[in-house]
Amino acid sequence: MSATVLYDAPGPKARRRSRIISVVGVIALAALLGWVVWRLAQPQISVNGNENPGMFDASRWDVLAYGEVWQFIGRGVWNTLRAAAVAMVGAVLLGMVFAFGRLATNAFIRIPTTVLLEFFRGMPVLLMMLFILLVASTGAFGAVVIALIIYNGAIIGEALRAGIVALNKGQREAGLSIGLTPVRTRLLIEFPQAFTQMLPIIIAQLVVLLKDTSLGYIVAYSELASTVKQASTFYGNRYLFTFWVVAVVIYLAINLTVSWLGRRAGRLAATRSGKPTAAAKPAAVAASIGGELGAGLGATDGDDDAGGRRRTR
C-alpha cells in the first residue's frame, strides 16, 4: 500500500465507504434535479387564480421562432462581448502596472500604488460605474469598461505581485548577474514566469469580469442580462423563464470558451518556456534570455592564468 505526501492511502474499507457515499450523493442529486424538472413542468397558478401552462410547455417557447427576438438578443451579446474584450485587455495591462508599482523600491511609487490598490479593491464595481458616469460623463459603455478595468486590474495586479514574490530570488540575481537592469530583469525574467504561474487565477478573474458586465444596467448599458429583461417585459412575463434560460446558456458558452482559451494559452506558454522546475538552476531562465539579448558582457569560455594554463570557468 503506497502512501501520499500528506496522508496514508485509503484502505479497502475507506474506499468502499467512499464509493457508497458517492453513489448516495449521485442518487440524491439526480432526485433533486428530477424534482426541480417536475416542479417546473407543473401548471403555474397566478395570484388572480388563473392557471398558466408549465415552464416546458410549447406555448412558452414559441417566441424563439421569431427572428427579431434573436436579433435583439444578438445585440445584447455583442455589447457584452465588446465591453468584456476591451476591459480584459485593459485590466491585464493595468494589472502589470500595479504589480510593478507595488514592487518598486522607490517609496514614492510603492506607497501611492498600494493606497490606490486597496481603494480600488474595496470599491464596489456598481458604485464605480455610477460614479464614473456621473462625474466623468463617459457614457454607458465608457463607464462600464473603465470601472471593470480599474477593479479587475487591481485584483490581477495583486495576483501578479504574489506570483513574482513567490519566485526564487535566484531568478532576479541571475538576471542582474548577466548585466540586465532591475526593470528588464523583472520584465523579461520574473514577469513571464509569474504570469504563467498565476494564469489560472487571472483566467478566473477574467470570467468574473465578463459576468460583471451584467452590472451595466445601473448606467443603462444594454448588455445581455439587461436585454433579456427588456425582452421578457416586451413579450410578456410568460416568456421570462424562456429568455433567462437562453441567457444562461449563452453566458455558459462564453465563459467556457474564455476558460478553454486561457488554459490553451497557458499550456502553450508552458511548452515554449520549457516548464522550468524547482530543481533547475535559478540561472537557467536568465541565461537563456541573456543569450538571446547577446548580453555576454565579453565573457569567454576560459581565460589564461598567470602560468599560461587554460582556466575553465
Side-chain angles (χ1 to χ4, degrees):
M1 182 182 299
S2 60
T4 63
V5 176
L6 298 179
Y7 55 87
D8 294 334
K13 291 184 178 180
R15 290 197 297 268
R16 184 167 54 253
R17 185 165 53 248
S18 298
R19 285 194 295 268
I20 293 174
I21 293 175
S22 300
V23 171
V24 172
V26 170
I27 294 175
L29 289 176
L32 178 62
L33 180 61
W35 179 83
V36 171
V37 172
W38 174 82
R39 185 67 183 86
L40 291 174
Q42 299 302 309
Q44 307 293 319
I45 305 300
S46 60
V47 178
N48 56 9
N50 294 330
E51 182 176 339
N52 298 319
M55 295 300 177
F56 300 115
D57 190 82
S59 61
R60 289 185 178 270
W61 298 85
D62 56 359
V63 69
L64 298 181
Y66 303 151
E68 60 185 16
V69 171
W70 290 107
Q71 292 178 1
F72 192 60
I73 294 176
R75 286 195 294 269
V77 174
W78 165 246
N79 289 335
T80 295
L81 293 177
R82 183 179 58 156
V86 176
M88 285 178 183
V89 175
V92 172
L93 295 178
L94 184 62
M96 293 173 55
V97 174
F98 278 147
F100 290 163
R102 186 77 166 78
L103 294 172
T105 56
N106 191 335
F108 291 100
I109 299 177
R110 185 180 65 256
I111 295 177
T113 303
T114 304
V115 173
L116 287 176
L117 274 173
E118 295 300 327
F119 175 78
F120 290 145
R121 290 173 61 192
M123 176 69 69
V125 184
L126 196 68
L127 295 181
M128 195 178 298
M129 290 180 183
L130 188 60
F131 179 81
I132 293 173
L133 178 68
L134 297 178
V135 176
S137 300
T138 58
F141 177 78
V144 172
V145 169
I146 294 174
L148 292 177
I149 288 176
I150 292 176
Y151 178 78
N152 294 278
I155 302 297
I156 293 175
E158 280 295 282
L160 291 175
R161 183 190 68 84
I164 293 175
V165 171
L167 291 176
N168 193 319
K169 293 182 179 179
Q171 300 285 350
R172 183 172 181 81
E173 295 172 356
L176 298 175
S177 67
I178 63 174
L180 297 179
T181 62
V183 176
R184 296 185 72 183
T185 300
R186 180 150 291 163
L187 185 62
L188 298 176
I189 296 178
E190 295 180 299
F191 176 74
Q193 298 180 73
F195 187 85
T196 302
Q197 291 181 1
M198 306 305 292
L199 191 58
I201 297 177
I202 295 175
I203 293 173
Q205 191 60 39
L206 293 180
V207 171
V208 172
L209 182 152
L210 193 149
K211 292 186 292 186
D212 282 346
T213 56
S214 61
L215 299 176
Y217 76 90
I218 194 65
V219 293
Y221 183 67
S222 298
E223 39 72 42
L224 178 57
S226 177
T227 300
V228 167
K229 184 177 180 181
Q230 294 173 13
S232 62
T233 302
F234 180 80
Y235 288 99
N237 289 332
R238 65 180 294 137
Y239 296 113
L240 179 63
F241 177 78
T242 303
F243 285 125
W244 281 114
V245 169
V246 172
V248 168
V249 172
I250 294 175
Y251 271 119
L252 285 176
I254 296 174
N255 291 335
L256 291 176
T257 302
V258 171
S259 299
W260 178 82
L261 291 175
R263 290 193 299 269
R264 183 80 174 177
R267 287 194 296 266
L268 182 61
T271 302
R272 289 186 175 183
S273 62
K275 282 190 176 182
T277 60
K281 293 182 179 180
V285 178
S288 62
I289 297 177
E292 294 175 0
L293 296 175
L297 297 180
T300 60
D301 292 335
D303 297 324
D304 292 334
D305 58 11
R309 295 185 298 273
R310 196 66 172 171
R311 183 177 70 248
T312 303
R313 291 183 178 179

